[in-house]
Amino acid sequence: KTPVRTKLGEANLKNLISLGVNHIDFTIDPIIEKIFTYKAFKKFGSPVIPMHMALHAIPLQIAVNFKIPLILWGENSAYEYGGEEQYRGVRLNHEWLIKYGVTNGTTAKDWIDDDLSKESLSPYFWPSDKKQGKADVFAIFTGHYFNWDPIQTYEISKSYGFKAATNAKTGFYKFADIDDSFLITIHHWMKWYKFGFTRLWDNLSIEIRNDRMSRDEAIKIVREKGEELPEEEIKSFCNYLDIKESHFFEIVSKFRNRKIWGKNDSGVWYIENFLIDDWKWS
């Protein structure tokens, strides 16, 4: 589980269990998890590499060890957000994990060092395709079989007791990313420095493609929301890692993409030819 699960996330999990499913809650050594999170954030500007590595590894490990034949994942991000045709298949395999597993192309083996031993990182290792095949484990994306629409998925989930947040935690959808207190918010906000857009843009693009919103309406929302600096989440993240906010922003600044960011005459960072002409740079 995420080291910082929200009350709403806990309530939704309990509701899921109450529907009639067996459930295993796996907690990774919090000391190792914290060290790994800091290293990932410092090296790649992504604090969720450990989370994503584990959420794929643990179900695969359990399935292989107990010879559970089928794993059902939700959407395939190669479909939902765009990606190469070769990754749009039905099966989640090692090649897909490297490309779309949100680990910056790394595996658990790449993180072994003086602080993180192979043994301590054991929850993060993905069983190989060969091991999965030997155990007759088949991991598939349900999004391969039908159009994975986040709004439709939410409506179905709501009918079974799932509860959304009052306001969107990050991005546009009030039902997404609500089980984690701050890690996923920091992860998505870093896109602003790396790519010049935020999670809000991701979600609004989906709404446009599903004909629920026009491009002009989406741009209006982006203009109103602005950068959405997650001040409270940054404070929580720094408290979690026991680092100063000044150190946080030192790390963040290293990931500002100089190919798209530049400084104006006043020394303020900005993006030339930005989508919104009257954007307030700060």
Side-chain angles (χ1 to χ4, degrees):
K1 67 177 184 179
T2 168
V4 284
R5 183 182 289 164
T6 63
K7 290 182 179 179
L8 185 55
E10 188 70 34
N12 280 324
L13 177 60
K14 288 181 178 179
N15 175 70
L16 176 65
I17 296 170
S18 72
L19 296 176
V21 298
N22 297 316
H23 175 258
I24 297 174
D25 212 338
F26 193 110
T27 301
I28 293 173
D29 179 339
I31 297 174
I32 296 301
E33 194 167 31
K34 191 175 295 187
I35 293 172
F36 194 178
T37 298
Y38 175 68
K39 286 178 179 287
F41 179 59
K42 190 174 181 180
K43 185 172 183 178
F44 290 111
S46 177
V48 298
I49 287 176
M51 182 194 299
H52 283 92
M53 196 174 285
L55 71 84
H56 288 117
I58 294 169
L60 287 170
Q61 289 182 17
I62 292 173
V64 168
N65 289 333
F66 290 95
K67 297 197 170 41
I68 299 170
L70 183 64
I71 300 176
L72 299 178
W73 300 102
E75 78 276 27
N76 181 342
S77 53
Y79 278 106
E80 187 165 1
Y81 299 106
E84 295 91 335
E85 190 65 34
Q86 69 190 90
Y87 299 108
R88 295 187 177 190
V90 61
R91 193 166 190 172
L92 181 148
N93 55 26
H94 190 84
E95 187 179 1
W96 186 95
L97 287 167
I98 291 293
K99 181 70 176 180
Y100 289 102
V102 197
T103 65
N104 284 77
T106 67
T107 66
K109 184 179 179 181
D110 298 315
W111 294 93
I112 297 173
D113 60 16
D114 293 339
D115 301 311
L116 300 171
S117 66
K118 182 178 181 180
E119 182 180 11
S120 67
L121 288 172
S122 59
Y124 299 101
F125 277 86
W126 305 322
S128 66
D129 293 343
K130 185 177 180 179
K131 282 186 177 180
Q132 292 178 54
K134 190 175 181 180
D136 289 327
V137 171
F138 196 62
I140 65 170
F141 296 106
T142 51
H144 174 79
Y145 297 97
F146 60 88
N147 179 43
W148 189 274
D149 182 340
I151 297 294
Q152 183 181 26
T153 304
Y154 165 61
E155 292 297 331
I156 294 171
S157 300
K158 186 170 67 171
S159 70
Y160 286 94
F162 176 88
K163 296 187 182 301
T166 304
N167 299 300
K169 186 166 182 55
T170 180
F172 183 68
Y173 301 129
K174 64 180 182 179
F175 51 80
D177 301 315
I178 57 175
D179 60 334
D180 173 87
S181 293
F182 52 79
L183 289 176
I184 199 68
T185 304
I186 300 298
H187 164 69
H188 286 312
W189 178 70
M190 285 297 295
K191 295 177 182 178
W192 181 237
Y193 277 69
K194 295 176 179 179
F195 311 115
F197 64 85
T198 66
R199 182 61 165 174
L200 181 63
W201 299 46
D202 290 332
N203 297 158
L204 293 177
S205 295
I206 291 174
E207 290 306 292
I208 293 171
R209 287 196 292 271
N210 282 302
D211 295 323
R212 287 189 289 261
M213 185 181 296
S214 70
R215 185 174 185 273
D216 289 340
E217 288 173 328
I219 291 174
K220 182 180 179 182
I221 293 172
V222 170
R223 179 185 284 109
E224 291 172 350
K225 292 286 187 178
E227 177 191 342
E228 298 184 284
L229 177 69
E231 295 181 2
E232 291 303 314
E233 285 83 354
I234 290 172
K235 289 179 182 178
S236 298
F237 182 61
C238 291
N239 288 334
Y240 169 66
L241 291 182
D242 194 24
I243 61 174
K244 294 181 178 180
E245 286 189 40
S246 58
H247 182 49
F248 171 86
F249 283 104
E250 282 177 8
I251 294 173
V252 168
S253 65
K254 294 178 182 178
F255 294 95
R256 190 186 292 275
N257 187 346
R258 301 307 200 269
K259 291 182 179 179
I260 60 174
W261 287 92
K263 284 188 176 181
N264 61 22
D265 295 337
S266 300
V268 176
W269 288 101
Y270 78 107
I271 298 175
E272 191 175 0
N273 299 320
F274 193 61
L275 177 67
I276 300 172
D277 294 333
D278 58 350
W279 188 264
K280 296 180 180 179
W281 301 103
S282 61

